Amino acid sequence: PEAMGSDLVIADIRAAVDWAKNNASVDETRIYASGVSGGGHATQLLAGRTPEIWAGISSWCGISDIAAWHRETLASEREKYARDIEKALGGAPDSPERAKDASHRSPLSWLSEEIDIPLDLNHGIDDGRTGSVPFTHSLHAWNKLVPEQKRLSANEIERFYQLRQPPE
């Protein structure tokens, strides 16, 4: 329960940054966060929840939606991840009791156009097939960060994923 984007995760990272600032020579205008997979999930959350700390964030293969990730892994050979999500939430994220917590732990609930720091979203074209997290998670995060006219439609995202061809 203390993992997977919980309030404790955010508080621990904030405390680590505060400790470094208080105990080392830190240029506060050059504090960056980077993470892969679950760490990519955490960095996206940090961008949305604590943007005032960061000079920039780089998310690699990050999970942007816990409920979607659960559905995707439950229906695949990566079912272990679905079970890990259920352990962290105390049940499946599609249940009414768990949906609010899953949303709270999902970067899509926190990301918006108002975030005023560089946020680098990275995924490989085969992620979700040979890698664990489908690259659609970065595309959905992108949609939260850009103006409406630059967003990709659900059909464009699905087509991109199926054909591995980016939309124009």
Side-chain angles (χ1 to χ4, degrees):
E2 295 84 14
M4 198 185 73
S6 70
D7 289 341
L8 183 58
V9 167
I10 302 302
D12 280 352
I13 294 169
R14 181 186 288 273
V17 171
D18 288 343
W19 185 92
K21 290 186 328 189
N22 292 326
N23 292 282
S25 177
V26 173
D27 179 347
E28 293 186 27
T29 66
R30 297 180 68 190
I31 300 173
Y32 299 89
S34 180
V36 178
S37 193
H41 166 248
T43 56
Q44 288 180 32
L45 276 173
L46 293 170
R49 294 188 62 183
T50 60
E52 69 282 358
I53 294 174
W54 312 106
I57 288 187
S58 185
S59 173
W60 291 79
C61 306
I63 300 151
S64 63
D65 183 334
I66 295 296
W69 178 229
H70 182 264
R71 286 188 304 274
E72 292 157 358
T73 58
L74 195 60
S76 74
E77 69 280 355
R78 299 179 310 268
E79 188 176 342
K80 172 205 173 301
Y81 295 111
R83 301 297 162 233
D84 290 343
I85 291 167
E86 291 170 11
K87 287 177 191 171
L89 295 177
D94 56 356
S95 68
E97 327 59 76
R98 307 292 177 246
K100 185 175 179 182
D101 191 23
S103 177
H104 182 74
R105 294 173 184 235
S106 294
L108 292 184
S109 296
W110 299 95
L111 297 175
S112 73
E113 290 178 58
E114 286 77 40
I115 293 175
D116 192 26
I117 57 169
L119 176 53
D120 181 38
L121 298 170
N122 301 278
H123 251 98
I125 197 76
D126 290 322
D127 287 343
R129 292 177 177 84
T130 59
S132 296
V133 182
F135 69 80
T136 55
H137 281 262
S138 282
L139 298 176
H140 289 292
W142 159 268
N143 275 352
K144 295 293 277 193
L145 296 163
V146 299
E148 190 172 346
Q149 65 271 20
K150 292 187 177 189
R151 294 178 187 157
L152 299 170
S153 70
N155 287 339
E156 287 174 307
I157 291 173
E158 181 60 25
R159 187 171 193 275
F160 187 1
Y161 186 74
Q162 294 305 322
L163 300 179
R164 300 179 202 176
Q165 296 292 319
E168 289 182 31

